[in-house]
């Protein structure tokens, strides 16, 4: 096997807290803008009991905003904690709603602009997209994570933010505080590396969500072979697919539709430089063998 370094350089990676990649239902496809309200997710992850409260359901665009903020914070950030002074820092820290162990940990402050965030996202700089960004920031700020285990308790919002006017009176300046778990990942502790340049090449929201899940569950250069139904379960936060005999005609149609969207998403990911995807079988026994590319100093290595 030889390694070929591809010429196309990667500009932005998000170093994401692994916990965020393991919360099934945190970011899901939203059909026709119909977001669920007051979503509660519960699970056990690495011996921690986790409870997530989401005021309004999150989709791929909210995930993209979060990843873009993390990528920007990886370039330029400041520490913020309960001892930070000044009205802006106090407001942002208080709105992070840090409790228990989170109160003694450092979060990070990103000072940027709406225009810069939209540029990283690859969105058009239109009034609609600026509104879309503000709505996404608001939804992300209303996500609370609560971790408990023996002798440990941690609780915080995903982020807090403040939009203020620039020197010419436009509401463009954005200050964002990302919680202490996200801060530790950005600072180089445990993290999953998400390539934003790859993400922007994908054609569907499902493909973006699948790419993020695969990037969170496959180490660079390694292989995973999940069942298609397992991926459907993780992306749509559905129960494990039942036997066809137990499903109604509508439910069978929905299962086929989602499997089809999953196959399309995997084929889209297979077009990314360095990714290798092989589809095996179909229906309830269908699988996908996925190899994730390795990256060295922001450059994708393709195995040939």
């Amino acid at each position: 096997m030889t390694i070929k370094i591809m010429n196309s350089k990667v500009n932005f990676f998000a170093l994401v807290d692994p916990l965020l990649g393991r919360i099934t239902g945190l970011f899901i496809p939203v059909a026709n803008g119909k977001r669920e309200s007051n979503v509660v997710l519960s699970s056990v992850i690495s011996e921690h009991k986790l409870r997530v409260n989401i005021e309004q359901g999150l989709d791929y665009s909210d995930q993209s905003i979060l990843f873009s903020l993390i990528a920007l914070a990886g370039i330029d950030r400041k520490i913020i904690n309960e001892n930070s002074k000044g009205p802006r820092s106090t407001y942002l820290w208080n709105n992070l709603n840090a409790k228990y162990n989170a109160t003694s940990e450092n979060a990070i402050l990103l000072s940027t602009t709406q225009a810069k965030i939209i540029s990283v996202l690859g969105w058009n700089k239109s009034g609609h997209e600026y509104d879309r960004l503000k709505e996404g920031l608001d939804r992300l700020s209303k996500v609370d994570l609560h971790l408990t285990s023996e002798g440990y308790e941690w609780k915080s919002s995903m982020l807090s933010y403040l939009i203020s006017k620039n020197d010419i009176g436009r509401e463009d300046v954005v200050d964002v505080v990302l919680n202490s778990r996200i801060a530790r990942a950005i600072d180089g502790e445990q993290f999953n590396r998400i390539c934003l340049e790859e993400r922007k090449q994908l054609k569907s929201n499902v493909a973006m969500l699948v790419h993020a899940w695969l990037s969170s569950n496959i180490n660079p250069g390694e292989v995973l072979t999940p069942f298609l139904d397992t991926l459907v379960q993780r992306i749509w936060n559905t129960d494990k697919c039942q036997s066809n005999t137990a499903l109604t005609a509508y439910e069978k149609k929905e299962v086929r539709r989602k499997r089809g969207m999953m196959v399309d998403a995997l084929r889209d990911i297979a077009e990314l430089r360095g990714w290798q995807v092989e589809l095996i079988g179909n229906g309830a026994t269908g699988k996908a063998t996925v190899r994730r590319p390795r990256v060295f100093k922001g450059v994708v290595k393709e195995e040939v």
Side-chain angles (χ1 to χ4, degrees):
M1 180 180 70
T2 60
I3 299 293
K4 182 170 71 172
I5 298 179
M6 309 309 295
N7 292 325
S8 177
K9 288 193 175 182
V10 171
N11 295 320
F12 286 102
F13 286 101
L15 305 185
V16 179
D17 175 13
L19 178 73
L20 298 180
R22 299 177 66 184
I23 304 173
T24 299
L26 182 59
F27 299 100
I28 63 173
V30 173
N32 302 318
K34 296 179 180 178
R35 299 175 184 271
E36 291 186 59
S37 298
N38 301 316
V39 177
V40 179
L41 305 172
S42 299
S43 60
V44 177
I45 298 175
S46 299
E47 300 182 355
H48 286 89
K49 291 181 180 178
L50 171 67
R51 180 183 174 93
V52 184
N53 290 288
I54 306 170
E55 186 170 302
Q56 192 176 26
L58 306 176
D59 68 356
Y60 80 99
S61 64
D62 304 305
Q63 188 182 61
S64 293
I65 291 169
L66 179 61
F67 289 170
S68 296
L69 295 172
I70 291 171
L72 286 168
I75 297 169
D76 187 18
R77 61 194 179 276
K78 296 178 181 177
I79 290 174
I80 185 171
N81 54 41
E82 63 178 350
N83 299 316
S84 297
K85 307 297 183 183
R88 180 187 62 161
S89 295
T90 301
Y91 172 86
L92 289 163
W93 177 259
N94 287 342
N95 279 12
L96 191 62
N97 301 312
K99 292 181 173 61
Y100 313 114
N101 286 59
T103 61
S104 61
E105 298 177 349
N106 290 332
I108 54 174
L109 168 63
L110 166 67
S111 294
T112 185
T113 65
Q114 292 185 79
K116 188 171 287 186
I117 298 169
I118 285 174
S119 177
V120 174
L121 285 163
W123 295 356
N124 296 323
K125 292 181 180 178
S126 65
H128 171 74
E129 302 294 47
Y130 277 82
D131 289 342
R132 188 179 171 198
L133 172 60
K134 291 176 184 176
E135 290 167 1
L137 286 169
D138 189 59
R139 283 191 292 269
L140 288 165
S141 72
K142 294 174 180 175
V143 177
D144 292 322
L145 301 103
H146 189 184
L147 281 166
T148 57
S149 61
E150 188 174 352
Y152 178 83
E153 188 166 9
W154 182 98
K155 187 176 183 181
S156 176
S157 297
M158 185 84 76
L159 58 81
S160 65
Y161 76 100
L162 176 66
I163 299 177
S164 52
K165 294 182 179 180
N166 59 18
D167 293 338
I168 59 174
R170 293 182 58 187
E171 288 189 345
D172 192 47
V173 179
V174 184
D175 292 303
V176 179
V177 171
L178 298 164
N179 71 43
S180 59
R181 286 194 60 95
I182 296 174
R184 289 199 296 272
I186 292 172
D187 284 337
E189 293 191 25
Q190 287 190 327
F191 61 82
N192 293 322
R193 190 191 301 265
I194 311 293
C195 178
L196 303 192
E197 300 307 309
E198 290 178 345
R199 185 179 174 89
K200 284 190 282 190
Q201 295 175 51
L202 298 170
K203 301 180 184 70
S204 72
N205 59 5
V206 174
M208 292 183 193
L209 293 168
V210 175
H211 175 267
W213 189 89
L214 293 172
S215 298
S216 297
N217 288 277
I218 309 175
N219 291 324
E222 296 189 359
V223 176
L224 186 70
T225 305
F227 283 99
L228 295 179
D229 282 358
T230 299
L231 291 173
V232 167
Q233 189 182 351
R234 297 292 185 268
I235 300 304
W236 274 272
N237 192 26
T238 58
D239 293 333
K240 187 174 181 180
C241 294
Q242 305 169 18
S243 167
N244 265 359
T245 58
L247 299 177
T248 65
Y250 172 77
E251 289 170 336
K252 290 177 184 178
K253 183 178 178 181
E254 277 296 285
V255 168
R256 289 194 298 270
R257 182 180 71 87
K258 289 175 180 176
R259 282 179 188 148
M261 293 175 72
M262 183 59 62
V263 167
D264 289 343
L266 290 166
R267 286 175 174 159
D268 197 6
I269 292 167
E271 295 297 315
L272 296 174
R273 193 180 300 273
W275 284 81
Q276 297 175 19
V277 179
E278 180 185 2
L279 295 169
I280 305 165
N282 53 55
T285 61
K287 295 181 180 181
T289 296
V290 183
R291 179 184 294 276
R292 183 182 176 192
R294 286 187 278 179
V295 175
F296 180 70
K297 293 184 178 180
V299 181
V300 173
K301 290 183 174 182
E302 186 174 49
E303 298 182 5
V304 295

